[in-house]
Amino acid sequence: MGRLNSLGVIYASEGTGHRAAALAICEAFRERSPHGRVICRDILDVIPSWLKFTVSRGYVAMARHAPRLWGAMYWGSDRAGVQAEISDRVHDWLCSVYLPRIEREMTAKGVEAVVFTHYFGAAPFAERMRGRMPVYCADTDFASHRFQRSAAFALSFAGSARALRQRTDEGILNAACTGVPVALKYSRLPSREEARAKLSLPPEARVVLASGGGIGAGSVFAAVKSLAQLRDTITAAICGNNDGLYAEMRAYFHYKENVRVEGFVPNMEDYYAAADAAVMKPGGLSSSEALCAALPMLLIDPVPGQEELNLSYLTENGAARYLPRAELTAESVGAILSNGDAQQMRAAAKKLARPNAAREIIRLVAENI
């Protein structure tokens, strides 16, 4: 059994998923090494504050209001071409200027290994630390970006079998299919009855979860409007960190007894466990959490790039359906819950779920040490 006494975990505050994955890995480390030391850092903290603001707020703004622009940036940097060359040069320059700060901190604090949950700086840092400190990269989606596929990593943790094949097809064999790291609570979810009791939901009612993800993006408002027409269905609408959406939906649905509107909630696991189906965006972390609850998913508004790839993976494996028009949500939910499709989707979700991904990552890092 490998010993791991000190670990560095690095994420980027671009959206919410990378940080959530980093915290899951930290949690698994503390479980395995309760007396060990873990250093968790936002890599954007080492760049100028104005640039961090531009990157983190820029992603949220594009995801909410200009997803096609984000998609153009994602695919342009992922596929060979002029834009990819420019992305490489900018990325390499930023890394050469700012990565030494992370290097000095990790070295000074005696960190034995570093795990990245975001691709910014990951491969260049692994190159810099080659022979001195093993560096790992963990996927937060079901497919990987070009920047995440590098032989410089001591080991890459693939978010799915598809992400693993991306690496092996390129001759990168130092990779393992662990799944996307989620909080340990997703390995011990409450029963449907327990979750509904916690949330004060009727035990026999039909419950649908509607979520715009951590940043509250997409057409969740339109989806909830459609679901509100179903008198025999309770809709739990989660707005995440989108305060404007929360205020707007609270005002609009305040008279609807079958619609419950929430902002950011710390106990999403209870909502996943309590629901009969979910209408949500195909974010890597939120989808992975829903898989752990074997929850049938209707997926809306994929951001071009990683969320499109997540949608493809989940639908092709039978755990989700694509919902191209949010105004048809009620009809689509009614169909899957009444014709037996939901049971098949639950079975497919159980096959894909990796609730112990964070534990597996820590185990592999410790063994490699």
Side-chain angles (χ1 to χ4, degrees), residues 203-258:
E204 301 303 324
R206 175 184 287 180
V207 176
V208 177
L209 172 65
S211 171
I215 63 173
S219 55
V220 63
F221 198 162
V224 177
K225 283 183 180 179
S226 177
L227 289 167
Q229 302 171 35
L230 301 176
R231 296 182 179 180
D232 62 341
T233 299
I234 296 175
T235 301
I238 310 298
C239 302
N241 293 313
N242 192 332
D243 295 336
L245 177 64
Y246 173 71
E248 188 177 6
M249 291 184 67
R250 287 276 291 184
Y252 187 89
F253 294 109
H254 76 277
Y255 63 93
K256 281 285 189 179
E257 294 183 357
N258 66 332

Side-chain angles (χ1 to χ4, degrees), residues 178-201:
T178 60
V180 174
V182 296
L184 301 189
K185 61 188 178 183
Y186 288 97
S187 66
R188 47 179 185 268
L189 288 170
S191 68
R192 180 175 180 268
E193 293 72 23
E194 291 170 335
R196 291 193 175 191
K198 288 182 183 179
L199 299 174
S200 300
L201 291 169

Side-chain angles (χ1 to χ4, degrees), residues 48-333:
S49 57
W50 66 267
L51 184 55
K52 176 182 178 179
F53 179 86
T54 300
V55 172
S56 58
R57 295 296 180 90
Y59 170 76
V60 172
M62 283 189 285
R64 287 179 179 170
H65 308 296
R68 291 185 181 277
L69 177 59
W70 170 258
M73 294 175 61
Y74 181 94
W75 290 121
S77 63
D78 190 48
R79 295 169 176 168
V82 174
Q83 189 175 335
E85 292 179 9
I86 295 172
S87 296
D88 286 347
R89 290 180 183 179
V90 172
H91 184 235
D92 290 344
W93 178 79
L94 287 171
C95 290
S96 68
V97 174
Y98 299 112
L99 280 185
R101 298 184 186 180
I102 292 288
E103 179 182 341
R104 287 193 294 270
E105 178 183 14
M106 296 297 162
T107 302
K109 293 182 177 179
V111 167
E112 296 174 293
V114 172
V115 182
F116 278 77
T117 63
H118 190 276
Y119 56 66
F120 179 70
F125 190 77
E127 292 282 3
R128 293 177 66 91
M129 303 305 291
R130 190 189 294 270
R132 292 187 288 155
M133 181 187 300
V135 177
Y136 305 83
C137 184
D139 290 347
T140 56
D141 292 290
F142 303 119
S144 64
H145 186 278
R146 178 172 61 91
F147 287 170
Q148 294 168 292
R149 301 193 297 272
S150 172
F153 296 122
L155 196 62
S156 294
F157 304 119
S160 70
R162 176 182 291 184
L164 183 64
R165 283 196 301 273
Q166 285 181 290
R167 292 174 167 92
T168 56
D169 287 349
E170 296 178 5
I172 300 172
L173 303 181
N174 52 335
C177 183
T178 60
V180 174
V182 296
L184 301 189
K185 61 188 178 183
Y186 288 97
S187 66
R188 47 179 185 268
L189 288 170
S191 68
R192 180 175 180 268
E193 293 72 23
E194 291 170 335
R196 291 193 175 191
K198 288 182 183 179
L199 299 174
S200 300
L201 291 169
E204 301 303 324
R206 175 184 287 180
V207 176
V208 177
L209 172 65
S211 171
I215 63 173
S219 55
V220 63
F221 198 162
V224 177
K225 283 183 180 179
S226 177
L227 289 167
Q229 302 171 35
L230 301 176
R231 296 182 179 180
D232 62 341
T233 299
I234 296 175
T235 301
I238 310 298
C239 302
N241 293 313
N242 192 332
D243 295 336
L245 177 64
Y246 173 71
E248 188 177 6
M249 291 184 67
R250 287 276 291 184
Y252 187 89
F253 294 109
H254 76 277
Y255 63 93
K256 281 285 189 179
E257 294 183 357
N258 66 332
V259 176
R260 176 188 293 190
V261 179
E262 304 285 354
F264 177 83
V265 296
N267 60 326
M268 274 299 295
E269 69 278 8
D270 293 329
Y271 288 90
Y272 289 130
D276 295 300
V279 179
M280 56 191 289
K281 287 175 61 60
L285 262 291
S286 55
S287 297
S288 296
E289 292 165 356
L291 289 176
C292 293
L295 185 59
M297 289 176 272
L298 288 169
L299 301 175
I300 59 174
D301 306 314
V303 174
Q306 71 272 29
E307 288 194 359
E308 284 182 330
L309 295 170
N310 291 339
L311 183 147
S312 170
Y313 173 76
L314 293 167
T315 54
E316 287 178 12
N317 283 281
R321 302 279 176 82
Y322 177 42
L323 181 59
R325 296 173 59 190
E327 61 269 24
L328 298 179
T329 300
E331 179 181 340
S332 300
V333 166

Side-chain angles (χ1 to χ4, degrees), residues 15-38:
T16 59
H18 305 291
R19 180 175 183 271
L23 293 178
I25 293 171
C26 291
E27 182 186 17
F29 169 82
R30 293 189 183 100
E31 179 187 65
R32 182 185 178 102
S33 304
H35 302 295
R37 183 179 189 183
V38 60

